[in-house]
Each structure stands twice: as structure tokens, then as C-alpha cells.
């Protein structure tokens, strides 16, 4: 997962099963190589959505991120978040990911070459 996202994933402790999914505690996408942006959340859950999968004719995963704290910093190319190039090889299966944030998120945006954040 880290290779696909370009950021180290630090998944929180197991917090139990949910309807067709699981829940984890405090989770973090840490800064990666030339990707200084981060995301932290006190809890995340992921579940398979069978009805939406049938309707969309592809696997659908529902990702819920609780109260995320996002810090966006530009990398050397001036981008806030950049996915790394993937090595050639077989393509992953088609997948739709629904990301939900049920509570407000805290976002801190760091402009280029300025040490202070804009909140």
C-alpha cells in the first residue's frame, strides 16, 4: 500500500468488525520521499459495499475517515500530493473507492516557500 500511495501507511490498532468491513484506530499517512504532506485520523474503517458493487459492476469499497487532520506541503515539483509511478506489470482489478469524512476535517495548507501555514 505504501508503494501505491507514495506515503508510509501506519495503520492503527484493530477496533473490531463492522458490517462487511473492519475498523482501525489512529491511522496516519506519513510524509514520503519528496511527499511532505500528511494525513492523520483517530479512526478509519473500510467496508465492502455489495449493492453498489452490483449497481456499478465493479468492486466498491467504502472508506470512512474520522476527523482527519491534513497538512498539505508542496514537494520539490510544487505539488501538494503526488502518487508515484507504478512499475510495469499486471493492472490491479477495477475498484471504486468511496471516501467519506462524516465529521469536519482540519486542513492546514502550507504555501510554497513560506514557513507559516494558512488555516
Amino acid at each position: 500500500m505504501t508503494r501505491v500511495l507514495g506515503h508510509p501507511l501506519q495503520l492503527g490498532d484493530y477496533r473490531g468488525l463492522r458490517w462487511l468491513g473492519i475498523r482501525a484506530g489512529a491511522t496516519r499517512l506519513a510524509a514520503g520521499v519528496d511527499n511532505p504532506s500528511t494525513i492523520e485520523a483517530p479512526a478509519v474503517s473500510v467496508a465492502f459495499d455489495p449493492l453498489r458493487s452490483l449497481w456499478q459492476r465493479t468492486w466498491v469499497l467504502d472508506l470512512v475517515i474520522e476527523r482527519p487532520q491534513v497538512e498539505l506541503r508542496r514537494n520539490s515539483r510544487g505539488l501538494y500530493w503526488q502518487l508515484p509511478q507504478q512499475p510495469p506489470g499486471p493492472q490491479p482489478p477495477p475498484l471504486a473507492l468511496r471516501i467519506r469524512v462524516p465529521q469536519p476535517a482540519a486542513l492546514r495548507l502550507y504555501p510554497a516557500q513560506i514557513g507559516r501555514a494558512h488555516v
Side-chain angles (χ1 to χ4, degrees):
M1 181 67 75
T2 295
R3 185 179 62 200
V4 173
L5 296 173
H7 293 258
L9 174 64
Q10 300 163 348
L11 191 60
D13 58 326
Y14 173 75
R15 295 259 177 102
L17 293 174
R18 298 290 184 253
W19 174 247
L20 296 176
I22 61 170
R23 182 177 168 156
T27 297
R28 182 170 197 255
L29 277 173
V33 176
D34 198 30
N35 276 312
S37 297
T38 61
I39 300 175
E40 294 183 34
V44 296
S45 61
V46 63
F48 171 65
D49 188 334
L51 293 177
R52 192 167 295 273
S53 294
L54 286 172
W55 182 60
Q56 289 187 232
R57 295 184 178 155
T58 189
W59 297 104
V60 177
L61 293 180
D62 191 22
L63 176 65
V64 178
I65 305 170
E66 297 181 16
R67 298 183 314 279
Q69 294 189 12
V70 181
E71 292 197 359
L72 296 176
R73 293 179 170 90
R74 292 182 190 251
N75 65 13
S76 64
R77 293 187 178 124
L79 303 172
Y80 286 106
W81 198 279
Q82 181 177 1
L83 296 175
Q85 288 188 352
Q86 299 303 309
Q91 294 296 314
L95 175 74
L97 182 62
R98 286 185 350 162
I99 301 173
R100 294 187 302 125
V101 180
Q103 302 92 4
L107 174 66
R108 194 169 273 186
L109 181 64
Y110 292 85
Q113 309 222 342
I114 297 177
R116 292 179 34 148
H118 292 272
V119 179

